[in-house]
């Protein structure tokens, strides 16, 4: 297995993140999201969105990449759940198919939680599509399923579950090294 590491994203990572975003969406969401969403994904558009997000930076949010041999193999973005919120949110977390089940997702989640805790967030959650089997990863990571919502996305009502971690400091102490 090739060595990999997780680090803070730089603007030069934007294209690698964009490619990983498009690849993981097209692998994970057929049958869950409309086909036209997968067809319409654009690496160029994603790259400029991610570049802007990384350059904007911020005290309370951030983007991480997992890389192997200078290639982005996973990424995560996080920040306040809403403007001014005291609860943190994992906005995105994706690992390339070939790199799944090797601890990359856990490492990205752990470093995102460390950054959120360091920015003063005591708790955090993530919204996951109910039909996405990857949601069981968050259960494996100790997230507790909480409220649900129906998001109107691409003309369809999509059910989402929130998975929550009520005490990041305790989670980081107890779970990060398991
Ligand atoms: C979900 C995802 C981020 C997990 O990343 P990963 O690198 O494969 O996960 P890890 O290897 O770090 O797994 C850590 C633990 O969770 C478990 N796990 C991983 N995916 C799981 C799943 N879908 N269901 C149940 N458990 C899972 C692993 O078996 C491992 O367990 P262990 O501690 O007993 O060994 C990744 O599979 C992914 O990107 N999936 C597709 C995209 C997606 O839907 N992302 C979520 C959007 S919200």
């Amino acid at each position: 297995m090739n060595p990999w590491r997780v680090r803070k994203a730089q603007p030069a990572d934007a294209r690698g993140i964009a490619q990983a975003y498009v690849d993981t969406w097209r692998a994970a969401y057929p049958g869950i999201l409309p086909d036209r969403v997968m067809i319409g994904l654009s690496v160029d558009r994603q790259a400029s969105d991610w570049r802007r997000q990384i350059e904007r930076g911020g005290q309370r949010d951030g983007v991480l990449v997992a890389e192997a041999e200078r290639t982005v193999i996973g990424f995560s973005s996080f920040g306040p759940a809403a403007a001014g919120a005291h609860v943190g949110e994992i906005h995105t977390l994706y690992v390339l198919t070939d790199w799944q089940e090797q601890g990359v997702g856990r490492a990205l989640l752990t470093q995102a939680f460390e950054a959120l805790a360091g920015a003063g967030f005591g708790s955090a959650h993530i919204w996951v599509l109910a039909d996405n089997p990857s949601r069981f990863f968050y259960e494996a990571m100790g997230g507790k399923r909480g409220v649900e919502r129906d998001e109107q996305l691409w003309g369809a009502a999509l059910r989402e579950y929130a998975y929550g971690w009520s005490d990041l400091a305790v989670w980081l102490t107890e779970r990060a090294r398991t």
Side-chain angles (χ1 to χ4, degrees):
M1 192 171 71
N2 293 325
W4 53 269
R5 66 172 178 146
V6 173
R7 61 168 172 77
K8 200 169 171 231
Q10 305 298 325
D13 295 314
R15 191 151 201 92
I17 295 173
Q19 188 66 60
Y21 183 98
V22 169
D23 290 349
T24 49
W25 270 56
R26 286 184 175 152
Y29 291 135
I32 298 178
L33 297 181
D35 286 357
R36 68 177 187 285
V37 175
M38 251 64 71
I39 294 164
L41 287 168
S42 151
V43 174
D44 284 346
R45 207 169 45 242
Q46 285 294 327
S48 63
D49 288 353
W50 282 101
R51 178 176 290 276
R52 217 173 308 121
Q53 187 174 335
I54 295 164
E55 284 173 346
R56 194 174 60 234
Q59 299 296 318
R60 305 176 79 221
D61 50 26
V63 181
L64 299 171
V65 288
E67 70 169 358
E69 294 176 346
R70 295 171 179 254
T71 300
V72 174
I73 58 163
F75 61 93
S76 179
S77 60
F78 54 88
H86 297 297
V87 177
E89 183 172 291
I90 303 295
H91 300 315
T92 62
L93 201 165
Y94 293 95
V95 176
L96 288 180
T97 309
D98 286 351
W99 286 90
Q100 290 174 11
E101 294 283 347
Q102 297 175 45
V104 179
R106 181 204 303 275
L108 283 164
L109 190 69
T110 301
Q111 290 200 29
F113 282 169
E114 282 170 355
L116 284 169
F121 294 100
S123 62
H125 66 231
I126 184 166
W127 287 100
V128 191
L129 290 168
D131 288 341
N132 184 352
S134 289
R135 67 188 175 82
F136 299 112
F137 164 73
Y138 298 106
E139 296 203 9
M141 294 294 100
K144 297 279 174 282
R145 197 172 122 191
V147 289
E148 305 177 14
R149 70 183 182 190
D150 283 322
E151 278 287 273
Q152 290 294 328
L153 294 168
W154 301 288
L158 296 169
R159 168 114 329 180
E160 291 186 321
Y161 298 148
Y163 283 89
W165 292 263
S166 58
D167 194 329
L168 293 181
V170 168
W171 188 91
L172 285 164
T173 305
E174 290 180 354
R175 305 234 6 162
R177 283 172 200 84
T178 60

